[in-house]
Amino acid sequence: MTIDFISDLHLSPAEPASTDAFLGYLVHQAREADALWILGDLFEYWAGDDDVDGPFNTAIADALQAFVTAGVPTKLIVGNRDFLLGEAFTHRTGVEIVAEPVNIVLGEQQCLLLHGDVLCTDDHAYQQFRSMVRNPAWQARFLAQPLAVRHEIAEDLRAKSEMSKQGKALEIMDVNADAVAQAFRDSSASLMIHGHTHRPARHALNIDGTTCIRHVLPDWHGHACGLRWDGKKLQSFGSP
Ligand code: LP5
Ligand code: MN
């Protein structure tokens, strides 16, 4: 059983290299897998499922639909950029959206999958922002606006985010050790895979006397990369 895990592609018309890498990955390397997990931030941002057939998104949706139809089941956990992906996207592409955290079995081990932003509990401003935009009433009000307006708001939020990150210490934008330990305890998993922080690594941790491994996925920046489970072990692919 071969399973690929990818995240943080941040696909957008402004980054054609990542789009090309993703389209190429879906017709070549990913076809060797028996399943694909996308752990959030597939898109730079997602303004709502009614944008799935917009000029840029059509190519991505078509490629995903062809990939799933070719026989590779694909599941997705939403990220902080594309949390508005929903049922219509699933209907269009065949990609199943699953609520985080997800427990899967890899070999003999339980493995916890998540985007990773919930672990960044020291970033109080972000967690407050997250609670606001994950509120269904807030989302309904946002989605009731015309698509062009939503694009403007999303672009504005991206700019605000970039600005606000400049004023934050790097440590607060990483995961909090206690939040990681608690996630391991709550799930009984000994493996964890997440993205979001853009700090690809393999961290070995002692949680209550058990060695637990936290894998952090890389972001794409124009080339396909992630982790592959080959039936026995997890290995990075595509990282420079
Ligand atoms: O994304 P990234 O890597 O730059 O930084 C994240 C956190 N930022 C975000 C914001 C996203 O980048 C923008 C999301 C676009 C989604 C568009 C679709 C739908 C929008 C509305 C849906 C209901 O997630 C950043 C973290 C960083 O990760 C590291 O973990 O620090 O957090 C922030 O920058 C948040 C700020 O600290 C606080 C919020 C500033 C903006 C407040 C404006 C609120 C008004 C909203 C009006 C629409
Ligand atoms: Mn993210």
Side-chain angles (χ1 to χ4, degrees), residues 131-181:
S131 315
M132 181 176 80
V133 296
R134 296 296 181 107
N135 177 309
W138 214 90
Q139 293 188 359
R141 276 202 300 280
F142 177 78
L143 290 169
Q145 305 192 62
L147 187 54
V149 174
R150 279 179 270 147
H151 273 283
E152 275 174 32
I153 295 172
E155 302 273 354
D156 181 54
L157 282 174
R158 288 289 309 118
K160 284 195 168 71
S161 178
E162 289 306 319
M163 246 161 44
S164 112
K165 285 193 296 185
Q166 284 172 23
K168 291 180 189 177
L170 285 177
E171 310 83 74
I172 76 153
M173 290 191 282
D174 202 353
V175 298
N176 171 286
D178 292 337
V180 170

Side-chain angles (χ1 to χ4, degrees), residues 5-82:
F5 301 90
I6 60 173
S7 73
D8 303 281
L9 290 72
H10 303 142
L11 299 178
S12 87
E15 281 282 350
S18 291
T19 304
D20 290 350
F22 185 54
L23 298 178
Y25 168 75
L26 287 183
V27 290
H28 293 114
Q29 191 184 352
R31 298 272 171 127
E32 299 158 7
D34 300 299
L36 170 65
W37 276 96
I38 304 172
L39 301 188
D41 290 359
L42 171 63
F43 293 97
E44 171 71 1
Y45 68 80
W46 192 254
D49 275 3
D50 53 335
D51 202 14
V52 72
D53 283 314
F56 174 75
N57 294 332
T58 295
I60 308 295
D62 285 346
L64 279 168
Q65 198 248 343
F67 179 69
V68 173
T69 305
V72 190
T74 302
K75 296 189 184 186
L76 179 143
I77 287 173
V78 298
N80 60 299
R81 309 280 194 89
D82 52 13

Side-chain angles (χ1 to χ4, degrees), residues 81-160:
R81 309 280 194 89
D82 52 13
F83 54 86
L84 288 176
L85 286 166
E87 276 172 26
F89 178 79
T90 296
H91 186 72
R92 171 72 171 79
T93 60
V95 174
E96 188 186 340
I97 299 176
V98 191
E100 69 174 2
V102 178
N103 250 318
I104 61 166
V105 178
L106 289 182
E108 317 246 288
Q109 286 180 290
Q110 290 280 330
C111 178
L112 188 66
L113 306 177
L114 61 176
H115 178 56
D117 55 328
V118 286
L119 302 172
C120 301
T121 52
D122 295 325
D123 192 344
H124 303 294
Y126 170 66
Q127 294 301 337
Q128 211 178 343
F129 171 78
R130 187 180 192 279
S131 315
M132 181 176 80
V133 296
R134 296 296 181 107
N135 177 309
W138 214 90
Q139 293 188 359
R141 276 202 300 280
F142 177 78
L143 290 169
Q145 305 192 62
L147 187 54
V149 174
R150 279 179 270 147
H151 273 283
E152 275 174 32
I153 295 172
E155 302 273 354
D156 181 54
L157 282 174
R158 288 289 309 118
K160 284 195 168 71

